[in-house]
Amino acid sequence: MLSVVVFLPLAVACLLALVRVPDAAARWGWFALSVVEVGLVAGLWFGGPPAPAGGLRFEQRVDWIPLVGSGYHVGLDGLSWPLVALTVVVFAACSVHALGGRDRPRQQAALFCFLQTTCLGVFAAQDLLLFFVFFDLSIVGMYFVIAGWGHGDAARSALQFFLYTFLGSLALLVGFIGLYLAATPHTFDIVELARSAPLQGSGSTGLLVLGAVLLGLAVKTPTFPFHTWLPPAHTDAPAVGSAVLAGVLLKMGTYGFVRIAMPLLPDAWRQWSWVVLAVGIVSVLHGALVALAQTDLKRMIAYTSVNHMGYVVVAVGAAGVVAGSAEQARQIAVVGAVTQMVSHGLITAALFLLAGALHDRAGTYDTGSFGGLARTAPRYAALFAVAAFASLGLPGFSGFIAEFQVFTGAIATAPVAAVAVLGILVTAALFLRALQRLFTGPTTGHSVRFRDLGASELWSAGPLLALALVVGVFPGPLLDTVAPAAANVVDLVSR
């Protein structure tokens, strides 16, 4: 059944690409697929027993390239379950938003269905080569989204995105080959590699292999100083493209930390952990301060992604500081990291969908071109305010649950992580300033004739924020799912 969830969007993509269906049928077909995908994932989540400790649910193995020890191996545990669910929800929101679109809807629906399969494949893969294939294909899909449906200097931004992230994926491939060559017998199977840790005690070799893996994942996350592709890609991408890029694709990097880098290279991770922690702290502060200086709303949200993903990097870095630290604190940090991935995906996807409404109506993201927007667009103002408060980590939303655990676990393990708390203060300031500029004061500029949110815009961003509220108020089901897998990661890193 997991393979059906992964490849059903690809089948629909092929159908839409080959059959010239009417535009309306393409838009509603994509929406119907999204509903089916959400239903399938919900049915799988609630329809069976939890995964055994350190084990997988819905595991499937099929020989693929037996000569190099690589196979089609998929399965889900507490690390991948939440991200698979996040993927189908974000793509469903985008399909609702696209119901109001008029720009080549059949081609757009086919491309996003293809992209959904690549994203689900990354989170389901239990083989390094399979992970790499889906990882690389997601770059191709997002390149065409930005280049084909973007605005401004879309071609340049798409090319920059592709070259940057493709270079990162090549570094990742070098690291995967290093793991393959070190394993006896040679294999790309993630479960086998986690069990044997082939580069344990190998000294500089393990450090070099982890360095290559970290470089690839750091570009995708992105962390400072590998984030420069992100602001132009977001600024020139369409709203649904930015939502998928921020909501799902950025999670591939941080997911790789907990799925691959930490359990497969435990002693090297422990030695790199202070570097990872330092990069995370710098990303948090740099992303927040640069976002504070932005007047372009989309660039501001893009830099807050560097800030928020930095919290995840802080958590996984602290989880590698084994000496003198409590195992429970490191487990809390890893649970917080996964929760932060889910929270950021929901909230930032909603923010980008809402930011897209500004460009659709006024052709600009410049916050100085608006004022008093709350009077002419009360629904837009209300939804954006909810998203802003959710993003700055207000209690009651998922961001608070995630950041509380990240900082509790990280500070208990490495007190220097407390420096990153300043990022929350700066984030609060920049979102409050954006709310003041856009929505308060006299109605001026593009706000005068601003049309309020339509049904497709309201029902795309609204449910994402509602889910962020549900996770914030009732986090138990999510945390109970993540905790056993996080404990397993901490055990593997401690070997």
Side-chain angles (χ1 to χ4, degrees), residues 313-372:
V313 180
V314 167
V316 296
V321 182
V322 174
S325 60
E327 183 173 319
Q328 185 182 8
R330 292 186 289 119
Q331 182 182 341
I332 291 172
V334 175
V335 173
V338 178
T339 309
Q340 175 69 358
M341 294 183 215
V342 175
S343 174
H344 178 264
L346 294 172
I347 297 169
T348 307
L351 277 169
F352 276 121
L353 291 176
L354 291 171
L358 289 185
H359 194 275
D360 290 344
R361 289 157 173 76
T364 180
Y365 299 111
D366 180 21
T367 54
S369 301
F370 300 86

Side-chain angles (χ1 to χ4, degrees), residues 49-324:
L56 299 168
R57 290 180 67 190
F58 312 109
E59 192 173 9
Q60 186 178 4
R61 293 174 186 263
V62 177
D63 283 343
W64 180 32
I65 314 176
L67 190 61
V68 298
S70 179
Y72 174 78
H73 184 192
V74 294
L76 299 178
D77 63 3
L79 302 177
S80 47
W81 254 121
L83 296 173
V84 166
L86 173 70
T87 300
V88 297
V89 166
V90 170
F91 273 90
C94 290
S95 74
V96 174
H97 192 278
L99 290 174
R102 295 291 181 270
D103 185 9
R104 293 163 291 162
R106 182 173 66 87
Q107 294 88 338
Q108 184 188 49
L111 183 55
F112 272 80
C113 288
F114 165 78
L115 193 56
Q116 183 168 346
T117 284
T118 66
C119 296
L120 291 170
V122 166
F123 299 130
Q126 298 297 332
D127 180 279
L128 290 178
L129 202 54
L130 189 65
F131 177 96
F132 179 80
V133 168
F134 284 122
F135 189 91
D136 249 19
L137 290 177
S138 73
I139 298 172
V140 176
M142 183 50 66
Y143 167 80
F144 284 111
V145 167
I146 299 172
W149 280 265
H151 42 257
D153 200 354
R156 184 176 184 277
S157 297
L159 184 62
Q160 186 177 4
F161 160 79
F162 185 90
L163 292 178
Y164 245 102
T165 52
F166 190 65
L167 178 64
S169 74
L170 291 181
L172 200 60
L173 181 61
V174 171
F176 289 175
I177 292 174
L179 279 164
Y180 167 79
L181 293 175
T184 306
H186 298 323
T187 181
F188 283 103
D189 191 276
I190 293 175
V191 176
E192 292 298 326
L193 291 170
R195 186 178 296 128
S196 61
L199 286 169
Q200 184 86 329
S202 64
S204 58
T205 304
L207 292 175
L208 289 173
V209 169
L210 180 59
V213 172
L214 283 179
L215 176 61
L217 298 176
V219 171
K220 192 75 169 183
T221 297
T223 63
F224 178 88
F226 306 110
H227 66 287
T228 52
W229 61 267
L230 184 68
H234 272 308
T235 303
D236 294 333
V240 287
S242 291
V244 169
L245 178 58
V248 180
L249 264 67
L250 298 191
K251 310 302 172 293
M252 294 178 182
T254 48
Y255 173 73
F257 288 139
V258 294
R259 170 61 64 201
I260 297 170
M262 297 173 71
L264 271 57
L265 293 152
D267 62 340
W269 182 268
R270 293 197 299 271
Q271 294 180 60
W272 275 88
S273 60
W274 286 105
V275 176
V276 175
L277 181 60
V279 169
I281 293 172
V282 172
S283 296
V284 167
L285 299 178
H286 175 79
L289 291 172
V290 178
L292 184 63
Q294 302 300 314
T295 57
D296 183 300
L297 183 65
K298 240 186 168 185
R299 288 183 73 87
M300 185 199 83
I301 299 171
Y303 276 110
T304 63
S305 290
V306 178
N307 161 264
H308 282 87
M309 297 311 289
Y311 296 144
V312 180
V313 180
V314 167
V316 296
V321 182
V322 174

Side-chain angles (χ1 to χ4, degrees), residues 433-444:
R433 191 184 65 167
L435 289 174
Q436 286 181 339
R437 284 184 172 180
L438 286 170
F439 301 111
T440 62
T443 303
T444 58

